[in-house]
Amino acid sequence: MGRWGLDVAFVWKALLTLGLVLLYYCFSIGITFYNKWLTKSFHFPLFMTMLHLAVIFLFSALSRALVQCSSHRARVVLSWTDYLRRVAPTALATALDVGLSNWSFLYITVSLYTMTKSSAVLFILIFSLIFKLEELRAALVLVVLLIAGGLFMFTYKSTQFNVEGFALVLGASFIGGIRWTLTQMLLQKAELGLQNPIDTMFHLQPLMFLGLFPLFAIFEGLHLSTSEKIFRFQDTGLLLRVLGSLFLGGILAFGLGFSEFLLVSRTSSLTLSIAGIFKEVCTLLLAAHLLGDQISLLNWLGFALCLSGISLHVALKALHARGDGGPKPLKGLGSHPDLELLLRSSRPEEDDNEEEGEYFVAQGQQ
């Protein structure tokens, strides 16, 4: 009976993990193809991003309010001094990363976008070394060389290569390295109480919106103000369809962050990293099948080389975690409903800080 109970528990945990991974895939792959689909007809990616930020802020504020009413525990609210001095740099880097990434969809294919964004791991490692979050080791140098070599092979003589789009997404990956390094440092400041990603999203979105607004005003403001799709609309039905499509993207973006944290809270940041590797393969296969992206044998070899570098980095993190006694699950997993788990009061202990800090770095690897 005891063995049967263990088998049932193992199968249930495996099915739960598989379900959470598939949920994460739906949101992550879905928003990638959504952004590409929408930018084909709506050529204002920065405005689209800003509306997504507003929707994420709305949902995160609503989530915080619901949990505060049900638990009667106040949510963390930062002072203006801490907000502007400590959160603003992370918010600005995040806004530029997301904004440039969405902007690149005007020019490049989903496959080139996916491959180039995978190089964010390279920049995360570089900035982790600069900020002394990682120690320089021969294995890390090998990871950098594999990812850089794979990126070169994937873009070499690509028939659908676009310099402008590639520069935008590569710039986003570079800024993404700064973004996730700053995010990890922000989460390690326990006195701020931003270890919970919902609280982090709530505080980041307003500054991200303001940080992206100057770029929007310069590059899209005039064109959008004269566009018949928004401000000078003549067809109310078309306006509602456009706004509905934009709102859907915001829901996907919030769902992505929610599903990522749900996955890592039930398993570990290592599971998220491994799932992200297979997600990249699925994205490229879907891009080639559904969108007709042309990927040569050399491009596939470059992609495989890049994934081997990412896999090596994940394996190194797994060995490091095993040396520290294995990955620690978040405390209290069995004692709260999922919503309360995701939005619980932000007074974590030191182990929680480390695990959730690794979660945000794992996000940067996707």
Side-chain angles (χ1 to χ4, degrees):
M1 187 68 180
R3 182 185 179 89
W4 171 256
L6 289 175
D7 290 341
V8 171
F10 175 78
V11 172
W12 169 248
K13 184 175 182 181
L15 290 176
L16 178 63
T17 301
L18 178 61
L20 292 175
V21 168
L22 291 177
L23 180 66
Y24 160 64
Y25 279 11
C26 289
F27 283 113
S28 183
I29 297 176
I31 197 171
T32 298
F33 282 87
Y34 158 86
N35 286 335
K36 181 61 180 178
W37 165 75
L38 188 60
T39 52
K40 286 183 177 180
S41 57
F42 188 78
H43 304 299
F44 305 102
L46 297 179
F47 177 78
M48 175 186 75
T49 303
M50 291 171 62
L51 195 142
H52 290 176
L53 297 178
V55 173
I56 295 172
F57 176 76
L58 176 65
F59 275 93
S60 58
L62 180 61
S63 301
R64 281 164 49 98
L66 288 175
V67 172
Q68 183 168 321
C69 291
S70 62
S71 65
H72 304 290
R73 293 201 301 263
R75 307 303 304 169
V76 61
V77 178
L78 296 182
S79 66
W80 280 107
T81 301
D82 287 335
Y83 190 50
L84 296 177
R85 289 180 55 188
R86 301 191 179 188
V87 179
T90 304
L92 180 60
T94 305
L96 291 175
D97 178 14
V98 177
L100 293 180
S101 295
N102 290 340
W103 198 351
S104 69
F105 278 116
L106 288 176
Y107 308 102
I108 63 174
T109 61
V110 169
S111 57
L112 181 58
Y113 167 84
T114 301
M115 178 62 195
T116 310
K117 281 294 286 184
S118 298
S119 67
V121 179
L122 187 154
F123 297 111
I124 290 173
L125 287 176
I126 292 174
F127 286 108
S128 295
L129 292 172
I130 293 175
F131 288 99
K132 301 187 184 302
L133 298 175
E134 293 268 8
E135 294 181 1
L136 181 62
R137 304 190 302 272
L140 289 182
V141 175
L142 178 59
V143 169
V144 171
L145 291 177
L146 286 172
I147 296 175
L151 181 62
F152 174 77
M153 290 174 62
F154 191 87
T155 57
Y156 183 71
K157 291 186 177 180
S158 174
T159 57
Q160 295 175 303
F161 182 80
N162 180 282
V163 176
E164 189 173 0
F166 178 72
L168 284 170
V169 72
L170 189 63
S173 297
F174 175 81
I175 297 172
I178 303 175
R179 166 195 179 182
W180 294 114
T181 304
L182 291 175
T183 301
Q184 186 178 7
M185 295 172 66
L186 182 67
L187 290 177
Q188 289 174 349
K189 292 181 173 65
E191 68 274 10
L192 293 181
L194 291 182
Q195 285 74 26
N196 188 297
I198 299 296
D199 290 325
T200 306
M201 285 193 290
F202 173 80
H203 284 86
L204 284 177
Q205 306 313 305
L207 287 177
M208 288 175 61
F209 187 95
L210 294 176
L212 205 57
F213 186 82
L215 274 180
F216 159 73
I218 293 172
F219 292 100
E220 294 182 2
L222 180 60
H223 298 291
L224 184 66
S225 65
T226 58
S227 170
E228 294 184 355
K229 290 187 175 181
I230 298 291
F231 292 108
R232 299 186 63 186
F233 70 93
Q234 298 177 352
D235 185 350
T236 305
L238 176 61
L239 174 66
L240 293 177
R241 286 194 296 271
V242 170
L243 293 179
S245 299
L246 292 172
F247 189 78
L248 173 62
I251 295 175
L252 289 174
F254 179 80
L256 175 58
F258 194 86
S259 63
E260 283 171 334
F261 185 64
L262 188 59
L263 175 60
V264 79
S265 65
R266 289 294 185 182
T267 57
S268 69
S269 59
L270 180 61
T271 304
L272 179 62
S273 297
I274 296 173
I277 294 174
F278 290 100
K279 185 207 72 175
E280 308 292 14
V281 177
C282 294
T283 303
L284 254 68
L285 291 174
L286 287 172
H289 179 70
L290 298 178
L291 302 180
D293 288 6
Q294 300 175 14
I295 307 175
S296 66
L297 177 60
L298 181 63
N299 298 153
W300 278 114
L301 290 175
F303 180 67
L305 190 64
C306 184
L307 282 189
S308 66
I310 297 175
S311 302
L312 176 59
H313 178 61
V314 171
L316 291 174
K317 289 179 71 65
L319 290 174
H320 177 71
R322 179 175 296 182
D324 290 341
K328 309 174 185 64
L330 295 181
K331 292 178 173 57
L333 293 187
S335 58
H336 300 284
D338 285 342
L339 184 61
E340 173 61 21
L341 164 69
L342 295 175
L343 306 169
R344 68 189 187 280
S345 180
S346 297
R347 283 182 174 84
E349 298 181 16
E350 183 176 352
D351 289 345
D352 295 326
N353 296 351
E354 180 179 354
E355 176 68 20
E356 292 177 357
E358 290 178 357
Y359 151 68
F360 274 97
V361 175
Q363 278 187 305
Q365 296 171 7
Q366 308 315 314

